Amino acid sequence: MSKLIGIAASSGIAIAKAYRLVEPDLTVEKKEIEDSAAEVLRFQDALNKAKAELEKIRDRAGKELGQDKAAIFEAHLLVLSDPELIAPIEDKVKTEKVNAEYALKETSDMFVSMFEQMDNEYMQERAADIRDVTKRVISHLLGVQIPNPSMVTEEVIVVAEDLTPSDTAQLNRTYVKGFTTDIGGRTSHSAIMARSMEIPAVVGTKAATSEISNGDLVIVDGLTGEVHINPSAELVEKYQKISSDFEAQKAEWAKLVNEPTVSADGHHVELAANIGTPKDLKGVKENGGEGIGLYRTEFLYMDRDQLPTEEEQFTAYKAILEGMEGKPVVVRTLDIGGDKELPYLNLPKEMNPFLGFRAIRLCLEEQDIFRTQLRALLRASIHGNLKIMFPMIATLVEFREAKAILEEEKQLLINEGIAVSKDIELGIMVEIPSTAVMAEQFAKEVDFFSIGTNDLIQYTMAADRMNERVSYLYQPYSPAILRLVKMVIEAAHKEGKWAGMCGEMAGDETAIPILLGLGLDEFSMSATSILKARSLIRHLNKAEMGQLAESVLSLSTTEEVIEAVNSAIKL
Ligand code: PEP
Ligand code: MG
C-alpha cells in the first residue's frame, strides 16, 4: 500500500485496477544469428501475432468507433501482407545473418524515409502506417506489449506519463473510471477535458508510471489529489463512503438546475459552460448552464488527418447554436498550439510552443484556415445567439486585422445572397498580460472580454501550465492576477461592455467571491462546476464581496488572500 500526491484535476472518486498507457521500450539492437531459417520463422510468427491483434482491434473499432477508424487498421493489415516490405526483410535476415527485429527496423526505416520525401499526401500516410506496423511487430519480437485502451473490457484507471487532449478524447467512458498521470497541471487540456467528461483525475503525480503496475488496485481521489496504490480494505471502504457522500452533495446541488444565479442581495450573474464538442451540450443542460462561455473549436480540428471542411464546421456550429435555443454561445476561433497539436499541419517544432506560433498568430498567417472557419461561423450565426471571440490577442493591431478579415468574409457572404445575423458580438480573450494592461484601449473596440486565466496566470507568473514542478506558481488569487482582472472588468464597464471569465479560475470556490465583488458579469466553467458555483453565489452578498475584493487587492501574497476570503465566507 502506498500513496502519491498530485494535482486534483477532475473531482470524484474512482476505484479500479490500473491500466498502464505507457509506450514500451522498443529499442532494437543488431545481433548476429546462426540459424537464419529459424530467425525467419520467428519473424513470421511475430507477423502472424501482429495480424491477429490488428484484426481484433479493427473489428472492435468498427463496432465502437465507426468504419473510418476501422479503416486505419485495415490499412495496417495490408502493409503486413505486402511482399514488397516483407520479402526484403526476410532476405536481409538470410543474407546478412542479422536478427529479425534489426532487419525489420532497417528495412522499414528505408521505406519510411523514401515515402516521407515524396510530395504526396497518400505516400506520407503510408509512411505513418509502416511506422506503426513496425512498432507492433517489433513488440512481438521483443515480447513486450503495446497498450491499447480501445481493447479494454473491464473498469480501469488509466495510468500514463501524460495524456494528450486527443488521447483523452478517445478514452472509453464505459470502462475508464479515472486517470492519473506523471505530468500536467490543473489547466492542461487533458485535465480540462476530464472535467467535462466527468472522469475523476489526478495529474502531475511525478511517479504514477514508475510506482503503479498493470492490475494494481488504485484509488484516484480527484477531490484532494491523492492516489492510493493497493489500498487496504479499510481504506477502500472509507473511499466508498466519501464517494457516496460526494454523490449526495451533487444531488443537493442538482436542485438548482433551473434556478437563476442571483446573489443573496439580488445581483444576477451568468453562469455559462466551457465545451469542446457539440456532444458536451448534454452536460451543459443537465448542469443548468445559462449559455456557452467558451467553445474550444480546436477539438473539431483534432483526431483527424486533415482540416475540417466549411460544411463540417457549419454543421457543428449550427448544432450548438440551435441546441442552446437562443442562449448566448461564445465561439472561440481556432486556438491551436501549446499542448494542442495538429500533426497534419506539419508545423516546425518550436522551443517554446506556448509562446510560439499559435492561435490568432497562426490564423492571421494561414488565412485560408481562418477564413473557412469564419465563413462557417457567419453562416451558422442565424441559428442562434452567436458571439465570436479571438484567442491570444496581444495587440490591438492583431484584433483589427482579425476583425477586418471577418468583415470581408461577411461582406462576401452577403454579396452571395447568404444570410448572416446582424447582431454578432465580437470579443477577445484576455490571456496575455499586455492585453490586460491595455484593456481600456481594447474596450473601445471590442464588444466583450473573456478573461482566460489559464494562460493569463501562466504568462504573468512565467510558469508553464503543463509543468507540475512550477504548478505552485499557478496562483489565481495572487494580488498580481486579481489586479489585472480588476483592470479588465473596470475597463469593460467604463465603455458599457461586459466582461466574462472562461479560465478555470471562474469556477474556483475561493476566487468566486472576489470575482463577484469585482463585478464580473459572466462566469464560464466546466459544466460540472456550475451547480456548485450557483449554490455558492446564492449565499453571497455582492455588496459585501465588493468590500472583500477591495481589501484583498491591497494584500501582499496569495496566502493572505486565501486567509481573508476564508475568514469572510463562512458557509
Ligand atoms: C485560458 O487560457 O484561460 C483559456 C480558457 O483557454 P485555454 O485553456 O483553452 O488555453
Ligand atoms: Mg488560453
Side-chain angles (χ1 to χ4, degrees):
M1 177 168 141
S2 56
K3 176 167 108 175
L4 301 172
I5 308 270
I7 297 159
S10 175
S11 62
I13 306 291
I15 309 174
K17 293 231 172 95
Y19 182 87
R20 288 167 56 86
L21 196 57
V22 181
E23 279 260 314
D25 180 6
L26 295 178
T27 322
V28 161
E29 281 173 33
K30 181 179 183 181
K31 285 189 198 136
E32 229 175 84
I33 47 125
E34 283 178 8
D35 187 349
S36 55
E39 191 65 3
V40 168
L41 283 180
R42 195 169 78 86
F43 173 60
Q44 286 170 348
D45 180 48
L47 212 54
N48 289 335
K49 284 183 177 146
K51 278 186 196 164
E53 193 176 55
L54 275 169
E55 278 164 4
K56 266 203 217 153
I57 298 175
R58 175 201 57 196
D59 295 346
R60 166 78 54 85
K63 271 196 221 120
E64 288 174 12
L65 304 169
Q67 285 311 319
D68 50 333
K69 291 272 188 253
I72 300 172
F73 300 107
E74 192 60 52
H76 288 188
L77 276 163
L78 283 178
V79 173
L80 283 186
S81 309
D82 186 348
E84 294 200 29
L85 172 72
I86 306 303
I89 299 168
E90 296 183 350
D91 282 351
K92 203 174 177 73
V93 171
K94 285 185 210 150
T95 53
E96 296 179 26
K97 291 214 163 287
V98 288
N99 52 329
E101 36 286 60
Y102 179 76
L104 165 59
K105 182 84 175 51
E106 288 277 295
T107 313
S108 81
D109 279 356
M110 193 259 300
F111 278 113
V112 166
S113 68
M114 192 170 91
F115 288 166
E116 273 181 347
Q117 277 162 23
M118 294 182 188
D119 194 15
N120 172 326
E121 208 176 301
Y122 177 79
M123 285 320 214
Q124 288 178 357
E125 277 170 27
R126 296 293 72 78
D129 289 342
I130 295 178
R131 209 184 289 113
D132 274 9
V133 161
T134 302
K135 272 202 213 161
R136 191 170 296 282
V137 181
I138 288 181
S139 78
H140 285 288
L141 286 165
L142 295 177
V144 294
Q145 235 187 340
I146 295 184
N148 182 346
S150 65
M151 295 300 279
V152 169
T153 51
E154 57 174 357
E155 294 192 346
V156 293
I157 285 177
V158 167
V159 178
E161 190 190 353
D162 184 21
L163 285 173
T164 62
S166 82
D167 290 334
T168 315
Q170 285 178 42
L171 295 181
N172 180 336
R173 288 187 215 193
T174 315
Y175 297 120
V176 177
K177 294 290 144 192
F179 72 75
T180 181
T181 62
D182 293 345
I183 63 176
R186 209 184 133 70
T187 59
S188 51
H189 284 94
S190 52
I192 290 170
M193 289 178 69
R195 285 196 281 285
S196 72
M197 294 165 80
E198 292 196 56
I199 298 180
V202 172
V203 299
T205 62
K206 300 190 182 80
T209 58
S210 56
E211 296 291 321
I212 304 175
S213 310
N214 264 333
D216 280 350
L217 184 67
V218 174
I219 299 176
V220 167
D221 179 348
L223 300 169
T224 65
E226 287 177 13
V227 174
H228 298 274
I229 309 163
N230 293 322
S232 64
E234 286 90 329
L235 196 61
V236 171
E237 207 174 303
K238 184 179 147 203
Y239 266 102
Q240 280 160 344
K241 168 92 175 68
I242 297 176
S243 179
S244 59
D245 288 352
F246 181 63
E247 292 307 317
Q249 173 72 80
K250 283 207 310 202
E252 257 324 288
W253 290 328
K255 293 181 184 156
L256 297 176
V257 67
N258 293 318
E259 298 296 321
T261 312
V262 187
S263 68
D265 54 343
H267 178 77
H268 182 266
V269 293
E270 184 188 321
L271 286 193
N274 295 348
I275 61 166
T277 95
K279 280 194 231 145
D280 295 338
L281 279 193
K282 187 168 163 273
V284 177
K285 297 214 162 140
E286 284 167 4
N287 288 287
E290 293 165 83
I292 303 293
L294 168 64
Y295 170 25
R296 289 184 165 95
T297 55
E298 47 280 6
F299 290 105
L300 257 179
Y301 294 67
M302 289 158 66
D303 269 335
R304 44 188 299 141
D305 43 28
Q306 61 198 20
L307 290 162
T309 61
E310 181 181 318
E311 219 43 47
E312 281 174 84
Q313 296 192 53
F314 169 74
T315 308
Y317 304 148
K318 178 169 174 263
I320 290 172
L321 286 162
E322 286 183 345
M324 288 307 290
E325 297 165 341
K327 293 188 179 131
V329 175
V330 180
V331 179
R332 173 172 79 184
T333 58
L334 181 63
D335 180 9
I336 213 65
D339 61 341
K340 293 170 290 193
E341 287 183 49
L342 287 188
Y344 58 83
L345 286 186
N346 288 323
L347 295 170
K349 279 251 170 283
E350 295 183 324
M351 293 279 280
N352 292 303
F354 274 108
L355 299 181
F357 185 59
R358 57 173 292 198
I360 200 70
R361 304 165 184 191
L362 183 144
C363 285
L364 291 175
E365 184 115 347
E366 306 279 341
Q367 287 196 12
D368 287 353
I369 299 178
F370 193 36
R371 286 177 189 271
T372 303
Q373 179 171 41
L374 294 176
R375 281 176 68 89
L377 277 170
L378 290 164
R379 283 174 51 208
S381 65
I382 51 166
H383 297 282
N385 182 358
L386 174 69
K387 302 171 196 296
I388 297 178
M389 170 161 83
F390 299 136
M392 296 292 295
I393 293 284
T395 71
L396 257 164
V397 172
E398 280 175 340
F399 172 70
R400 289 176 188 152
E401 273 177 37
K403 181 176 174 180
I405 295 173
L406 177 73
E407 293 301 330
E408 265 175 44
E409 289 305 324
K410 194 189 273 180
Q411 204 47 56
L412 285 170
L413 284 172
I414 292 169
N415 295 349
E416 289 168 39
I418 295 171
V420 175
S421 162
K422 290 195 177 59
D423 315 305
I424 309 170
E425 287 189 6
L426 182 60
I428 58 165
M429 302 260 316
V430 181
E431 46 192 341
I432 298 182
S434 61
T435 302
V437 171
M438 295 295 281
E440 280 195 20
Q441 280 69 23
F442 276 98
K444 296 187 200 317
E445 302 190 30
V446 303
D447 295 322
F448 65 92
F449 290 131
S450 184
I451 309 173
T453 46
N454 305 340
D455 279 316
L456 185 64
I457 298 171
Q458 132 162 296
Y459 297 132
T460 306
M461 309 298 277
D464 183 343
R465 65 194 265 190
M466 295 290 289
N467 184 341
E468 70 290 345
R469 300 183 77 171
V470 295
S471 63
Y472 74 96
L473 286 168
Y474 173 73
Q475 295 187 3
Y477 335 115
S478 154
I481 302 297
L482 298 177
R483 288 178 188 208
L484 290 176
V485 169
K486 179 182 176 187
M487 282 168 72
V488 176
I489 298 172
E490 281 185 351
H493 290 176
K494 205 167 137 201
E495 296 296 330
K497 312 287 170 68
W498 61 270
M501 179 179 284
C502 58
E504 291 302 309
M505 180 177 176
D508 181 294
E509 273 179 297
T510 307
I512 287 173
I514 307 175
L515 298 172
L516 181 72
L518 290 174
L520 191 73
D521 302 294
E522 178 238 36
F523 298 62
S524 192
M525 59 194 73
S526 309
T528 46
S529 304
I530 290 177
L531 292 168
K532 188 175 175 187
R534 181 167 297 151
S535 161
L536 173 61
I537 291 171
R538 288 165 68 92
H539 284 94
L540 299 174
N541 179 302
K542 158 95 166 43
E544 282 170 22
M545 293 308 109
Q547 287 162 9
L548 173 70
E550 229 13 83
S551 68
V552 297
L553 279 167
S554 57
L555 296 175
S556 311
T557 65
T558 288
E559 291 72 16
E560 288 170 20
V561 174
I562 297 174
E563 213 182 295
V565 174
N566 285 343
S567 59
I569 312 241
K570 290 172 207 81
L571 292 175

